[in-house]
Amino acid sequence: MRRVLLLLVLLGVFGVPLAVYQQWLDVPPRWNPWAPLDIRATPSLLTPFKLWRLEDDPGLCQQALATSPLRYTALADSSPAADCPLENTLRIQALGVRFSSSFISTCPLAAAFALFERHALQTAAQEVFGQPVVQVEHVGSFACRSIAGSQRRSQHASANALDIVGFRLQDGRRISVLRDWPGEGEAARFLRLVHKGACASFNVTLGPEYNAAHRDHFHVDMGLFRMCR
Ligand SMILES: [Zn+2]
């Protein structure tokens, strides 16, 4: 009896994932870890794994982006600075939502942003203001530097991070992290929802509560660690 039980457990742990991988077992794409990420699908427990798989696979990553309205140009690998090579990067133009300026981004960061925009940012804007965000204001993604006060390379050094300072709504109203985060009105409520939603999409999300250096922006990145502050 013990042996049968052990066999069943082993089958569950190794057999089921193998069967899904080999396509012997047909599961819906949302629940198949090896199916390409679909930006339109509601994020699930598998989404971080699907995002992680995009890191070393530009083809798979662009397949994921094709399920979003993202407008971008794929960039050839390059080394704009000696110790900051850029790999698997794109120039992001727009995503339905506009950006205050185009920016360089790794493909996984772009995919995480597309998920965030669709499943967190716009839902928060509709919930709080009853209208969409039309522009995301940022202060850049790529900067060949280390983390302030540390030796460690910043995710900005590989264009794997974005600093967001505010949002413009359809009626022209501007929401600013610096001005509106400390408040208690609807703009503050909106920013808190956006911060929470960012934590679900990006590996790292740092806002004004983290430290004084972040009082005026949300830092989001797709580095190795997971952090939500
Ligand atoms: Zn940053």
Side-chain angles (χ1 to χ4, degrees):
M1 186 62 197
R2 269 232 178 118
R3 264 191 212 168
V4 174
L5 216 62
L6 183 69
L7 195 71
L8 283 176
V9 168
L10 284 177
L11 204 69
V13 172
F14 299 105
V16 172
L18 181 73
V20 173
Y21 180 70
Q22 297 285 4
Q23 300 181 343
W24 301 328
L25 200 68
D26 202 18
V27 293
R30 200 171 151 241
W31 295 111
N32 179 351
W34 290 279
L37 175 71
D38 186 334
I39 305 289
R40 294 160 299 190
T42 308
S44 74
L45 283 175
L46 293 177
T47 308
F49 176 74
K50 291 189 180 203
L51 277 170
W52 172 75
R53 282 189 72 215
L54 307 181
E55 230 165 87
D56 301 315
D57 195 334
L60 188 67
C61 190
Q62 290 185 31
Q63 212 178 322
L65 293 186
T67 64
S68 85
L70 193 77
R71 285 202 290 116
Y72 67 90
T73 325
L75 300 175
D77 292 351
S78 67
S79 285
D83 46 355
C84 291
L86 289 177
E87 287 161 8
N88 193 9
T89 56
L90 319 162
R91 177 162 286 281
I92 307 294
Q93 323 279 1
L95 174 73
V97 75
R98 296 190 303 266
F99 293 99
S100 48
S101 62
S102 75
F103 60 97
I104 302 175
S105 162
T106 58
C107 192
L109 179 69
F113 193 93
L115 274 174
F116 158 75
E117 193 262 351
R118 183 182 176 113
H119 299 286
L121 180 64
Q122 298 298 4
T123 15
Q126 287 296 347
E127 186 184 322
V128 178
F129 303 111
Q131 56 176 310
V133 165
V134 293
Q135 179 159 304
V136 172
E137 297 181 347
H138 70 90
V139 288
S141 54
F142 176 64
C144 188
R145 62 172 172 80
S146 299
I147 298 168
S150 138
Q151 302 284 357
R152 258 191 323 128
R153 267 275 176 259
S154 163
Q155 289 298 317
H156 285 290
S158 49
N160 204 24
L162 182 68
D163 291 336
I164 300 166
V165 293
F167 306 93
R168 193 173 291 277
L169 302 175
Q170 193 169 46
D171 67 6
R173 180 171 170 193
R174 202 180 156 262
I175 310 298
S176 142
V177 175
L178 178 65
R179 185 193 61 213
D180 297 317
W181 180 271
E184 287 194 347
E186 54 180 9
R189 185 160 79 88
F190 166 71
L191 287 175
R192 269 156 187 81
L193 284 174
V194 170
H195 180 273
K196 192 170 163 227
C199 288
S201 270
F202 301 99
N203 287 350
V204 169
T205 301
L206 303 175
E209 313 274 285
Y210 178 56
N211 64 18
H214 291 80
R215 70 187 182 282
D216 60 354
H217 70 279
F218 294 153
H219 165 101
V220 294
D221 78 50
M222 289 304 279
L224 279 177
F225 307 102
R226 257 197 114 83
M227 193 155 133
C228 170
R229 297 280 293 274

